[in-house]
Amino acid sequence: MATKKPIATQIENRNFLQPTGFRFTVNRAPTVSYFGRSVNIPAMDLGVATQPNYLNPIPMPGEIIEWEDLTLNFLVDEDLQNYMEIQNWMRGIGFPESLSEIYEWQSNNPALKDAPRAMLNLYSDGTLTVLDSMNNPKFKVKFENMFPYRLSTLEFDATQTDVEYFTASVSFKYMIYNIDEITSCC
């Protein structure tokens, strides 16, 4: 559950949030996390119900919240280790060639050794740590039961004149996310 603070009458912290101040980790994909370039805190939409009225319909707050997808952009290492980490996870979920792919991936993945049998090869949790202006951890955004559903292409092009390193994008679905403030102890 997100931490709620009382509404302040005066602004205490006048520093701005920096877009470069973050660390993102995916428990099941550590090499992707290391090369992460950008990540989003997904948008959320609250459905709206409409109450009929003889003049104009009256909008009312709905009940269902829809969460936008989590997207991570990362630099691809030259061994394709981080790209293959996500691709193998997706192949393990979807077994495109045979049912044995899910079992091979599970047995070759040390992160799955202690996972409950029902959760094998499907989900992972992730954490976005938001840093303050002094690069100290300020907030943690915890994503629960994530799984990748889209991995971008890697397009090779012999006509490029400058070296541009590959950036890939992976999109995740997840159950829910919560934003919690990190409190300093002293």
Side-chain angles (χ1 to χ4, degrees):
M1 190 77 168
T3 306
K4 298 199 172 36
K5 292 174 118 179
I7 298 174
T9 56
Q10 289 291 323
I11 297 172
E12 294 175 20
N13 184 348
R14 296 174 191 238
N15 295 321
F16 297 108
L17 191 62
Q18 300 174 29
T20 57
F22 74 95
R23 286 189 307 256
F24 185 71
T25 57
V26 179
N27 298 355
R28 193 161 288 178
T31 59
V32 171
S33 301
Y34 181 77
F35 289 100
R37 259 182 77 178
S38 65
V39 67
N40 64 322
I41 296 178
M44 57 189 276
D45 293 313
L46 176 63
V48 177
T50 305
Q51 178 180 342
N53 186 314
Y54 69 95
L55 295 175
N56 285 325
I58 300 170
M60 302 292 288
E63 301 170 344
I64 298 173
I65 295 176
E66 292 185 25
W67 308 93
E68 187 178 90
D69 296 336
L70 171 66
T71 302
L72 171 67
N73 295 307
F74 61 96
L75 290 167
V76 179
D77 66 283
E78 70 178 10
D79 293 331
L80 287 180
Q81 185 178 359
N82 54 7
Y83 190 83
M84 293 305 296
E85 193 170 50
I86 296 295
Q87 189 180 90
N88 289 337
W89 184 1
M90 292 175 70
R91 290 173 74 94
I93 293 171
F95 38 86
E97 291 183 48
S98 71
L99 287 174
S100 66
E101 282 190 74
I102 191 169
Y103 303 116
E104 289 171 17
W105 190 77
Q106 288 172 357
S107 64
N108 293 331
N109 192 333
L112 301 178
K113 295 267 189 264
D114 298 324
R117 194 77 185 141
M119 301 282 283
L120 286 180
N121 203 30
L122 297 179
Y123 306 107
S124 178
D125 289 346
T127 304
L128 170 62
T129 304
V130 179
L131 308 176
D132 65 13
S133 57
M134 301 295 286
N135 286 331
N136 296 315
K138 185 74 173 167
F139 294 96
K140 282 194 185 260
V141 184
K142 304 276 284 170
F143 295 88
E144 296 179 22
N145 296 333
M146 301 172 23
F147 66 92
Y149 76 93
R150 183 179 185 288
L151 180 62
S152 66
T153 61
L154 295 179
E155 186 174 328
F156 292 87
D157 183 359
T159 63
Q160 284 190 356
T161 56
D162 291 334
V163 175
E164 292 183 31
Y165 298 107
F166 277 116
T167 301
S169 175
V170 58
S171 297
F172 294 95
K173 296 287 186 184
Y174 53 92
M175 186 74 70
I176 193 167
Y177 74 81
N178 291 303
I179 302 173
D180 296 314
E181 185 173 9
I182 299 171
T183 56
S184 57
C185 65
C186 304

